[in-house]
Amino acid sequence: MKRTAFFISDGTGITAETLGQSLLAQFDTIGFTKLTRPYIDSVDKARAMVQQINTAAEKDGVRPIIFDTVVNQEIRDILGQSDGFMIDIFSTFLAPLEQELSSHSSYSVGKSHSIASSSNYMERIEAVNFALDNDDGARTHYYDKADLILVGVSRCGKTPTCLYMAMQFGIRAANYPLTEEDMERLQLPAALKPYKHKLFGLTIDPDRLTAIRHERKPNSRYASFAQCEFEVREVENLFRRENIPYINSTHFSVEEISAKILVEKGVERRLK
């Protein structure tokens, strides 16, 4: 079965898409065509949106699912005339919250993704800059300012995990790739020893690592299965020997990896 799902907002659409994607993920037997439509903030745009929804309904032979975070009631009324099944994310949660808090919502567009909270915004930017400046062991003299330092073999997912934690949580995360030379010494690199309490390891299945490295350097020793298997085995031995907590990144998303790391290390999120 194939269904179309629209994530519609008069703002960025990030909230509608994030929550909608999470809900649809629970229905893994159904294939969804997912369409995000941000900044539907005028009557004309709403009417054009209705045409898109109705076209999808006719094509699929079943009504599309609509997740919306549209604040403007006139625009919502127009969307409600479409042939879609609408889920109003804001009213679903805001109505009971208003009752519990004995207060009315401001119903303002883009609150959750604005820069109204300048301290949060600057924290996020500084964390991203920190992750970029301290990527791949390029600099190690700022490790005293790091919340976390991810270690592991090259191409096991350290950089995207650091950037995600910076963007999402304001975490200052550095990363250091363990090389073949490090493995031959059978000990932590000198630059990491003072910060052992900040270390968290990432590992990966050798066959997956081989595939990733082949995309970067095809048919090289670096990408060979034998080399990948050796590196992964030795790094995992190092993690165990040094009592460094670690996770296998092969079957987890960057979101899951980040959440597991923060729980394991007890690191508090900087963004409130």
Side-chain angles (χ1 to χ4, degrees), residues 7-14 16 36-46 49 69-70 75 79 109-110 113-114:
F7 309 111
I8 302 175
S9 176
D10 42 12
T12 63
I14 294 172
T36 302
R37 298 292 183 263
Y39 298 111
I40 304 301
D41 52 8
S42 70
V43 168
D44 288 342
K45 289 180 182 178
M49 194 69 250
T69 51
V70 175
I75 292 174
L79 294 174
V109 177
H113 302 287
S114 70

Side-chain angles (χ1 to χ4, degrees), residues 231-243:
E231 290 186 25
V232 169
R233 181 178 65 249
E234 292 304 310
V235 162
E236 289 181 359
N237 286 339
L238 178 64
F239 291 158
R240 286 189 285 267
R241 191 164 54 248
E242 297 286 346
N243 292 317

Side-chain angles (χ1 to χ4, degrees), residues 68-100:
D68 85 89
T69 51
V70 175
V71 171
N72 184 289
Q73 189 59 48
E74 183 181 11
I75 292 174
R76 289 206 76 256
D77 289 342
I78 293 172
L79 294 174
Q81 297 169 13
S82 72
D83 296 331
F85 174 71
M86 288 186 68
I87 299 174
D88 178 4
I89 292 173
F90 276 167
S91 68
T92 300
F93 297 107
L94 283 178
L97 265 177
E98 286 178 332
Q99 186 173 356
E100 175 63 25

Side-chain angles (χ1 to χ4, degrees), residues 110-111 213:
K111 281 281 189 179
R213 288 184 174 183

Side-chain angles (χ1 to χ4, degrees), residues 39-219:
Y39 298 111
I40 304 301
D41 52 8
S42 70
V43 168
D44 288 342
K45 289 180 182 178
R47 288 175 178 150
M49 194 69 250
V50 168
Q51 290 183 346
Q52 288 188 44
I53 295 167
N54 292 348
T55 298
E58 186 175 352
K59 180 181 176 183
D60 295 346
V62 63
R63 58 181 177 169
I65 309 297
I66 302 168
F67 297 94
D68 85 89
T69 51
V70 175
V71 171
N72 184 289
Q73 189 59 48
E74 183 181 11
I75 292 174
R76 289 206 76 256
D77 289 342
I78 293 172
L79 294 174
Q81 297 169 13
S82 72
D83 296 331
F85 174 71
M86 288 186 68
I87 299 174
D88 178 4
I89 292 173
F90 276 167
S91 68
T92 300
F93 297 107
L94 283 178
L97 265 177
E98 286 178 332
Q99 186 173 356
E100 175 63 25
L101 298 174
S102 300
S103 177
H104 289 292
S105 161
S106 63
Y107 284 88
S108 299
V109 177
K111 281 281 189 179
S112 59
H113 302 287
S114 70
I115 60 170
S117 175
S118 59
S119 61
N120 260 5
Y121 183 74
M122 291 309 299
E123 195 79 62
R124 192 191 309 270
I125 296 302
E126 287 172 10
V128 170
N129 286 335
F130 184 90
L132 292 172
D133 286 343
N134 294 275
D135 185 45
D136 273 347
R139 300 180 183 179
T140 60
H141 51 281
Y142 294 123
Y143 281 4
D144 59 320
K145 297 179 175 62
D147 298 312
L148 286 167
I149 304 169
L150 298 190
V151 291
V153 300
S154 171
R155 312 304 291 178
C156 69
K158 299 183 300 300
T159 297
T161 302
C162 285
L163 287 172
Y164 177 81
M165 288 193 290
M167 282 290 295
Q168 196 70 14
F169 308 124
I171 299 296
R172 292 182 176 88
N175 79 77
Y176 188 102
L178 294 168
T179 65
E180 191 170 358
E181 187 177 330
D182 294 323
M183 297 165 210
E184 288 171 354
R185 293 197 195 104
L186 301 176
Q187 60 181 355
L188 279 177
L192 296 179
K193 287 183 178 179
Y195 308 105
K196 185 176 173 181
H197 62 291
K198 296 184 178 184
L199 301 183
F200 195 97
L202 287 188
T203 186
I204 187 171
D205 290 351
D207 54 350
R208 176 61 181 149
L209 183 60
T210 299
I212 293 171
R213 288 184 174 183
H214 263 299
E215 292 179 5
R216 186 177 179 86
K217 293 185 179 179
N219 304 315

